[in-house]
Amino acid sequence: MLIRQAPDLTDNDVTDRGLYLKRRTLMAGLAGAGLFGAAGEAKAGLTYGKGFSTQEKATSKEDITTYNNFYEFGVDKGDPAENSGKFKPRPWTVRIDGACEAPRTVGIEDLIGRNKLEERIYRMRCVEGWSMVIPWVGFPLKDLIASVKPTSKAQYVAFETVMRPSEMPGQGWNTLDWPYREGLRMDEAMHPLTLMAVGLYGDVLPNQNGAPLRLVVPWKYGFKGVKSIVRISLVEKQPVTSWNKLAAREYGFFANVNPAVDHPRWSQATERRIGEFRRRDTLPFNGYGEWVGDLYRGMDLKRFY
Amino acid sequence: MKRPSKTRDNIVYALVWAACFAPIVWLAWKGFNGDLGANPIEKLIRQLGVWGLRLLLVGLAITPAARILKKPRLVRFRRTIGLFAFSYILLHLFSYIGVDLFFDWGQLWKDILKRPFITLGMLGFVLLIPLAVTSTNGWVIRMGRAAWSRLHRLIYLIVPLGVIHYYLLVKADHRPPLVYGVVFLALMGWRLWEARRSRPSP
């Protein structure tokens, strides 16, 4: 099996910030040798659980940071790395509001300091038919949501990317209806696998990967992973989401990875893992069905794609 | 009209050939240096297709250019450029079948039937084959000028198929395929205008 640990994490499984930082130093030294996983734990002699992770070989940092879909910086895969230099991910605040008792605005350093960060190596499957294995650092979204005390009206979570045309040249074109918006059903948002990422390969998130804060939902197509988030709202109705608004037939609200439901213009049965030559089969729920399949029990996934 | 010297003719030909070879040399060089990005296969296929389309448009632009610039001998490059365009599109198709699909013929067949952009791209390619085959002087003579010309008007159908093929695979930013579409329409517009002008209305 690809997964080494169940997602029901206890506090003992979670690396605290101090340990994580130590490990990060060590990892930096070992990353080149491709040893940082197991060796990092053993040599540090520390008892910590890395977060829920796949054991597959991580995609190179070079590829993860130069092959991006982040249309705010341009539509080519290389544009985000090239055009995000002017973007300022700090200072940064996120507004969390809507159907909750304790709405708040929180600074990014505060978020990083108060949440227990952990490394989670997840597969990422893009709707375009390619995939990566990415070592994120972050914390579960459910912790953040719980902190604002959602009310019973909180049925969905709506996310919004920052709107900064002066720093994000792609927002000057109406390729998408800016700002970028995404959403999850409440149970999806509260699932332990759903991550708010603040780091990548042990370091803070690079601008092109969604600095300083982005969503990662590993069983869904990558476009659900809204980047550079400034607002998270708990809402009653299913929120409008950017790609769905552009082409509802092609990009569903759920967007669960599903080899049996093709994109109208191409097959989703296979994918090319970046760095590999041959295509490989795409797994239902991107291989996370064991943990998330229950969320969709009884739903017609061909209809709710 | 004075015919330019043989040497000059050869130099001009060499330049046209070099220009047509440049994209593939550039791609090969980048590929050799691992410089095609994280997804080199996709990049290679896309670039080969885009250059095929660009050369088809250059081919279509030659007749108008020759007339407008009053340089009728430009027309002698049409065949070279057309065959280069065909070669790029052939490589585009080969890399899709051989590298992307890895000769999964079943998948190829499914793609052709199910994916409109592949259906149209394939149709464009199939229509291009007779044009490439009959591109020699021998074929012009064998078929007769008029029939040959009629056959080669297929290009007016093939190029828009290529543009639509490109348009349909783009996710959100349709500007690049639209630019090619506009260039095509402009070149066709010139032809219509020219046909009308040379055939005065009663």
Side-chain angles (χ1 to χ4, degrees):
Chain A
M1 193 56 219
L2 305 168
I3 309 289
R4 69 201 303 196
Q5 208 176 313
D8 304 306
L9 301 171
T10 67
D11 280 356
N12 291 337
D13 293 322
V14 172
T15 316
D16 76 40
R17 171 108 179 123
L19 295 184
Y20 152 66
L21 285 173
K22 271 189 218 160
R23 179 154 55 97
R24 178 164 113 178
T25 326
L26 185 68
M27 276 175 3
L30 294 169
L35 294 169
F36 79 90
E41 288 174 28
K43 290 205 181 152
L46 302 167
T47 44
Y48 60 82
K50 290 172 65 155
F52 181 87
S53 289
T54 168
Q55 286 181 301
E56 288 166 280
K57 184 177 178 289
T59 305
S60 77
K61 189 174 181 184
E62 162 86 13
D63 285 347
I64 295 173
T65 56
T66 56
Y67 193 73
N68 308 96
N69 275 324
F70 196 171
Y71 280 23
E72 281 83 342
F73 293 114
V75 296
D76 283 338
K77 300 286 190 295
D79 286 347
E82 215 160 282
N83 302 335
S84 63
K86 274 203 296 182
F87 184 73
K88 295 182 198 70
R90 287 190 174 50
W92 192 274
T93 57
V94 188
R95 175 79 188 153
I96 306 149
D97 60 9
C100 60
E101 285 167 26
R104 64 188 184 126
T105 301
V106 55
I108 185 67
E109 302 303 345
D110 218 26
L111 270 180
I112 292 176
R114 281 194 205 176
N115 286 283
K116 286 176 176 166
L117 301 183
E118 53 186 280
E119 180 174 69
R120 296 203 186 180
I121 308 171
Y122 281 160
R123 288 180 291 278
M124 200 280 287
R125 168 64 155 81
C126 178
V127 72
E128 296 167 349
W130 53 270
S131 64
M132 292 184 178
V133 175
I134 307 181
W136 302 108
V137 177
F139 56 89
L141 173 63
K142 68 184 171 74
D143 296 351
L144 186 59
I145 292 179
S147 76
V148 296
K149 302 193 173 76
T151 66
S152 61
K153 282 193 171 161
Q155 298 293 315
Y156 291 88
V157 185
F159 303 84
E160 209 175 286
T161 295
V162 73
M163 185 71 190
R164 277 190 201 167
S166 60
E167 294 174 26
M168 301 174 127
Q171 286 180 336
W173 296 96
N174 286 327
T175 42
L176 289 168
D177 184 14
W178 312 116
Y180 195 92
R181 278 163 292 169
E182 257 309 333
L184 294 173
R185 215 169 54 188
M186 195 62 173
D187 56 348
E188 298 175 322
M190 297 302 283
H191 194 280
L193 282 184
T194 304
L195 190 74
M196 294 305 288
V198 296
L200 171 72
Y201 260 113
D203 226 327
V204 290
L205 267 186
N207 288 348
Q208 62 268 36
N209 293 88
L213 179 73
R214 66 166 291 167
L215 178 68
V216 178
V217 194
W219 69 93
K220 292 177 180 284
Y221 291 119
F223 69 85
K224 294 297 285 183
V226 48
K227 305 183 180 86
S228 306
I229 299 169
V230 286
R231 188 158 177 211
I232 301 172
S233 298
L234 308 177
V235 295
E236 209 174 346
K237 300 243 161 62
Q238 180 177 307
V240 171
T241 59
S242 294
W243 281 101
N244 184 250
K245 192 176 176 203
L246 180 86
R249 229 167 54 84
E250 305 191 348
Y251 311 101
F253 174 79
F254 287 97
N256 293 318
V257 175
N258 191 344
V261 176
D262 284 343
H263 183 280
R265 288 181 285 150
W266 54 80
S267 164
Q268 294 293 26
T270 62
E271 66 200 52
R272 172 160 291 111
R273 177 70 51 83
I274 295 302
E276 291 180 357
F277 180 68
R278 292 285 298 271
R279 285 180 166 272
R280 51 164 73 208
D281 288 341
T282 289
L283 304 172
F285 297 110
N286 204 19
Y288 296 97
E290 195 180 326
W291 294 279
V292 301
D294 279 348
L295 296 174
Y296 310 102
R297 184 140 296 165
M299 269 173 74
D300 178 359
L301 295 176
K302 285 200 170 8
R303 195 172 149 221
F304 298 101
Y305 51 90
Chain B
M1 199 178 57
K2 204 182 92 196
R3 211 186 141 84
S5 76
K6 195 76 190 157
T7 330
R8 204 183 127 192
D9 219 34
N10 285 341
I11 292 172
V12 175
Y13 249 109
L15 286 175
V16 170
W17 272 71
C20 290
F21 263 115
I24 189 79
V25 170
W26 171 76
L27 277 172
W29 174 252
K30 292 196 95 161
F32 183 72
N33 285 305
D35 212 12
L36 286 176
N39 199 347
I41 295 170
E42 197 218 7
K43 179 115 179 182
L44 177 78
I45 296 174
R46 183 74 66 96
Q47 286 297 316
L48 287 170
V50 163
W51 280 104
L53 182 57
R54 285 174 185 164
L55 285 174
L56 284 180
L57 286 168
V58 171
L60 272 187
I62 286 181
T63 304
R67 292 277 186 83
I68 292 166
L69 302 172
K70 299 197 169 44
K71 296 228 186 275
R73 293 195 68 249
L74 273 179
V75 173
R76 72 193 189 283
F77 297 121
R78 239 180 0 193
R79 171 163 55 201
T80 310
I81 288 170
L83 283 174
F84 266 106
F86 178 74
S87 310
Y88 276 93
I89 291 163
L90 190 66
L91 287 174
H92 169 67
L93 181 66
F94 279 178
S95 51
Y96 156 64
I97 296 173
V99 186
D100 192 38
L101 295 181
F102 211 77
F103 305 104
D104 183 344
W105 302 106
Q107 185 59 46
L108 173 68
W109 187 238
K110 269 194 253 168
D111 275 355
I112 293 173
L113 293 182
K114 274 179 81 175
R115 322 265 162 241
F117 88 94
I118 292 181
T119 318
L120 296 178
M122 222 34 149
L123 179 62
F125 173 75
V126 169
L127 293 176
L128 211 45
I129 295 172
L131 305 201
V133 169
T134 61
S135 64
T136 60
N137 290 338
W139 270 100
V140 182
I141 294 161
R142 224 168 303 164
M143 292 179 69
R145 240 307 155 199
W148 186 91
S149 293
R150 232 177 295 130
L151 174 68
H152 280 248
R153 269 183 224 142
L154 269 179
I155 201 68
Y156 303 147
L157 179 63
I158 293 167
V159 174
L161 283 173
V163 172
I164 298 168
H165 166 68
Y166 188 8
Y167 184 91
L168 285 179
L169 75 84
V170 167
K171 266 168 75 195
D173 183 21
H174 289 106
R175 281 171 289 164
L178 284 177
V179 167
Y180 297 120
V182 167
V183 170
F184 171 73
L185 288 177
L187 294 171
M188 291 311 285
W190 178 86
R191 283 174 166 80
L192 282 178
W193 177 73
E194 190 61 12
R196 246 214 211 142
R197 211 182 49 147
S198 56
R199 199 176 20 185
S201 46

